[in-house]
Amino acid sequence: MNRYARQMVLPGIGAAGQDRLAQAHVLVVGAGGLGCPALQYLAAAGVGRITLVDPDRVEETNLHRQPLYRMDQVGRPKAQAAAAALAVLNPDCQVVPRVEWLTPANAGGLVQAADVTLDCADSFAVSLTLSDACMAAGRPMITASALGLSGYAAGCCGGAPSLRAIFPDLPAQAASCASAGVLGPVVGMIGALQAQMALAVLLGLEPRPLGRLITWDAGGWRMGGFRFDTAPEPADPLPFIAHAQVSPGDLLIDLRTEAAPIAGARHLPPDRIAHLDPGPAPRVVLACRTGLRAHNAGQVLQSRWPGRIALLALTDDDLKGRP
């Protein structure tokens, strides 16, 4: 019996829909707690090609929410370990692993080549970079985030408003799974929801998931959400750039207070950013680890120097001086 028979019998799928999945190309950025279930369900459904981008390695402390991996894979690049597991799950699905950071330098080409993008990175800088690239290319994006006992998934771009339209303002501070904790089934449900939304986009199912945000609160046993089809786009969004895109004339500001500034940068704590004098520099590039401090500092300066502010989220390669 055809392995896809139980989904092909559904209205709106059939042989034609299954063929659409077989011809589809999905970009998945992040192979962690969100990416693991999303990848498994996409591959199992018969998606023909998945490009998987993740620079990290399998860690034992993450296995409670990343059950795609095994103990004997600890230390192996996640993208490669995931590709090997998915090849066993469904040989019909070609998974192309890319052990690299997603940056504004490579995002455009990766997004352009795919039919739909899944943002499973749970990173402010990556999410906004992917949203910008998807808006520019007219491609749909399924983004998500999970922390503690709650999370959300949303269908952006591709004719719907961008992630920037949903969240025009970022928080002053943000917790992480390491600091705030997370239960595996929470990210599992959100990642599976991402896969469902992506399949709905590829199959053209109605009502469409684009323009919709869905929330899950495991602590209170509640699901919710809303549509954001009419959310306005920010008038002057602050762009992220890659380290390689910093020009010699740029004024590079390292906002990190916990480490020495990167090469070629001037150190300035975030609470001093309002006193910055850029002089004749044509552009000010604000750098930090996650992009959050850079974004918030950029909003302080944006009204004074519109069009002259860019943001840089530093990767491990940047911090080690590698190109």
Side-chain angles (χ1 to χ4, degrees), residues 294-305:
H295 183 275
N296 290 334
Q299 288 190 314
V300 173
L301 301 177
Q302 188 177 33
S303 61
R304 293 161 59 188
W305 305 303

Side-chain angles (χ1 to χ4, degrees), residues 198-286:
L199 292 174
V201 169
L202 294 172
L203 292 166
L205 301 181
E206 294 289 345
R208 68 175 195 161
L210 300 181
R212 180 183 296 273
L213 184 145
I214 301 172
T215 61
W216 164 238
D217 173 13
W221 304 110
R222 294 187 298 270
M223 294 195 76
F226 54 86
R227 293 206 64 91
F228 56 91
D229 305 87
T230 59
E233 297 293 335
D236 189 18
L238 293 166
F240 278 93
I241 64 171
H243 197 183
Q245 296 171 321
V246 177
S247 301
D250 290 338
L251 176 58
L252 178 58
I253 302 294
D254 191 335
L255 297 166
R256 297 174 302 142
T257 58
E258 67 279 7
I262 58 174
R266 171 182 166 187
H267 180 252
L268 188 66
D271 59 2
R272 298 286 299 167
I273 196 66
H275 304 287
L276 177 67
D277 179 4
R283 184 171 64 172
V284 176
V285 179
L286 302 171

Side-chain angles (χ1 to χ4, degrees), residues 33-298:
L34 296 170
C36 283
L39 287 163
Q40 288 175 289
Y41 280 109
L42 291 173
V47 169
R49 184 182 181 192
I50 297 174
T51 295
L52 173 59
V53 180
D54 194 302
D56 295 329
R57 295 177 180 271
V58 178
E59 296 181 17
E60 184 176 354
T61 55
N62 292 334
L63 293 182
H64 79 285
R65 67 184 187 281
Q66 299 174 13
L68 181 62
Y69 309 118
R70 306 183 307 271
M71 279 295 295
D72 61 1
Q73 293 176 314
V74 170
R76 187 177 180 187
K78 284 183 184 178
Q80 295 176 359
L86 297 175
V88 176
L89 173 63
N90 188 358
D92 293 342
C93 178
Q94 178 191 11
V95 181
V96 181
R98 297 184 59 148
V99 184
E100 61 186 273
W101 294 88
L102 188 288
T103 72
N106 61 16
L110 290 167
V111 163
Q112 185 70 46
D115 298 303
V116 62
T117 291
L118 268 67
D119 165 31
C120 302
D122 215 6
S123 156
F124 291 111
V126 170
S127 297
L128 292 177
T129 295
L130 281 174
S131 178
D132 292 346
C134 286
M135 283 295 283
R139 295 286 195 272
M141 178 181 89
I142 310 300
T143 186
S145 180
L147 191 67
L149 295 176
S150 63
Y152 72 85
C156 306
C157 310
S162 71
L163 182 62
R164 291 183 184 271
I166 310 175
F167 302 113
D169 298 311
L170 298 184
Q173 299 182 42
S176 66
C177 291
S179 63
V182 66
L183 272 182
V186 174
V187 288
M189 290 188 67
I190 298 297
L193 179 57
Q194 282 188 279
Q196 177 64 29
M197 296 173 82
L199 292 174
V201 169
L202 294 172
L203 292 166
L205 301 181
E206 294 289 345
R208 68 175 195 161
L210 300 181
R212 180 183 296 273
L213 184 145
I214 301 172
T215 61
W216 164 238
D217 173 13
W221 304 110
R222 294 187 298 270
M223 294 195 76
F226 54 86
R227 293 206 64 91
F228 56 91
D229 305 87
T230 59
E233 297 293 335
D236 189 18
L238 293 166
F240 278 93
I241 64 171
H243 197 183
Q245 296 171 321
V246 177
S247 301
D250 290 338
L251 176 58
L252 178 58
I253 302 294
D254 191 335
L255 297 166
R256 297 174 302 142
T257 58
E258 67 279 7
I262 58 174
R266 171 182 166 187
H267 180 252
L268 188 66
D271 59 2
R272 298 286 299 167
I273 196 66
H275 304 287
L276 177 67
D277 179 4
R283 184 171 64 172
V284 176
V285 179
L286 302 171
C288 70
R289 193 67 172 89
T290 67
L292 183 57
R293 279 179 286 187
H295 183 275
N296 290 334

